[in-house]
Amino acid sequence: DTAVSQTPKYLVTQMGNDKSIKCEQNLGHDTMYWYKQDSKKFLKIMFSYNNKELIINETVPNRFSPKSPDKAHLNLHINSLELGDSAVYFCASSQDRGTYNEQFFGPGTRLTVL
Amino acid sequence: RKEVEQDPGPFNVPEGATVAFNCTYSNSASQSFFWYRQDCRKEPKLLMSVYSSGNEDGRFTAQLNRASQYISLLIRDSKLSDSATYLCVTWNSGNTPLVFGKGTRLSVIA
């Protein structure tokens, strides 16, 4: 059973389009995250939600909007896609916040903006 | 200055070799430290936590030097399957996110 799953795995789209990436975890974790890994392999936090509440919102363009319908799901919607948005987007989850808990990552969504 | 710095490599070593990676961090408030492993085109996975007293897990040994703000990972008797990128990671506290280094790439050659 996949612990953290993401769809789609690959996403190729034109500049200016709007797209969504979905993430689900079946670990019963309270906290979920979105990370971006760019072409230089630098992995950077974008957002974190705890029990559907936004707790971390790093400096990310407001074209990116996360949505957490319940604590097992954290989706990422991106408006007006730009070339620089091309990257691998990883979803992750951990048991809770406060103390460190291991983060489990999904397989990633490879986004290519043409 | 980047918050977590690592030599990107690649480190190309023969099977059976011992290899060491280093990492420095700039935030003296960092409380917890980890090594994650990321295989090519895969997600990162926790390899091991790093404790002040140093810790070992099989062929892997991690060390932390808080005074110098320096973390290391030693891999003994390298296997082909150790080929991956090793990410040095720090964590502060509370709601702060994990901070990842760019990773050090290791290729173990037969």
Side-chain angles (χ1 to χ4, degrees):
Chain A
D1 274 348
T2 306
V4 183
S5 58
Q6 294 178 231
T7 52
K9 193 164 183 188
Y10 298 96
L11 185 52
V12 181
T13 188
Q14 301 284 339
M15 271 175 58
N17 284 350
D18 303 338
K19 290 292 177 188
S20 291
I21 307 172
K22 295 188 175 189
C23 177
E24 176 181 1
Q25 53 95 3
N26 63 8
L27 297 165
H29 287 168
D30 285 345
T31 309
M32 295 185 73
Y33 311 83
W34 277 111
Y35 287 86
K36 178 180 178 181
Q37 188 169 44
D38 60 26
S39 57
K40 295 185 173 139
K41 306 297 182 192
F42 189 42
L43 192 66
K44 197 162 167 24
I45 185 80
M46 298 174 71
F47 300 104
S48 174
Y49 270 72
N50 186 71
N51 260 323
K52 304 194 299 174
E53 179 192 341
L54 179 67
I55 54 169
I56 293 175
N57 183 353
E58 293 294 300
T59 309
V60 174
N62 58 15
R63 298 182 294 104
F64 290 78
S65 50
K67 277 202 171 57
S68 182
D70 55 63
K71 74 173 195 176
H73 295 85
L74 181 61
N75 304 323
L76 184 64
H77 188 75
I78 316 170
N79 288 330
S80 304
L81 278 154
E82 299 178 358
L83 293 176
D85 297 334
S86 296
V88 182
Y89 292 83
F90 286 102
C91 177
S93 74
S94 65
Q95 193 163 344
D96 56 36
R97 56 184 174 137
T99 57
Y100 170 76
N101 291 281
E102 180 182 351
Q103 290 191 13
F104 293 83
F105 285 79
T109 296
R110 190 169 293 272
L111 171 65
T112 303
V113 182
L114 303 173
Chain B
R1 185 184 167 187
K2 292 192 175 55
E3 204 166 331
V4 178
E5 297 215 51
Q6 297 181 247
D7 180 344
F11 284 60
N12 299 315
V13 303
E15 271 187 289
T18 294
V19 61
F21 308 137
N22 302 320
C23 162
T24 56
Y25 62 95
S26 60
N27 185 353
S28 57
S30 298
Q31 296 184 349
S32 302
F33 309 90
F34 314 92
W35 285 100
Y36 273 69
R37 170 191 168 133
Q38 185 172 22
D39 292 320
C40 189
R41 300 179 81 87
K42 297 281 191 182
E43 71 273 22
K45 291 183 180 174
L46 179 66
L47 177 67
M48 59 196 300
S49 301
V50 186
Y51 302 118
S52 296
S53 52
N55 49 297
E56 198 172 296
D57 183 0
R59 298 180 292 108
F60 298 83
T61 301
Q63 297 273 0
L64 167 65
N65 183 324
R66 282 190 188 269
S68 304
Q69 295 184 197
Y70 167 100
I71 305 158
S72 66
L73 178 68
L74 182 80
I75 306 176
R76 287 181 301 279
D77 187 23
S78 300
K79 311 286 184 202
L80 294 175
S81 57
D82 294 334
S83 297
T85 296
Y86 291 82
L87 303 167
C88 178
V89 184
T90 67
W91 181 76
N92 188 345
S93 64
N95 292 336
T96 60
L98 292 181
V99 180
F100 286 79
K102 280 196 179 182
T104 298
R105 194 153 60 92
L106 171 67
S107 288
V108 181
I109 306 156

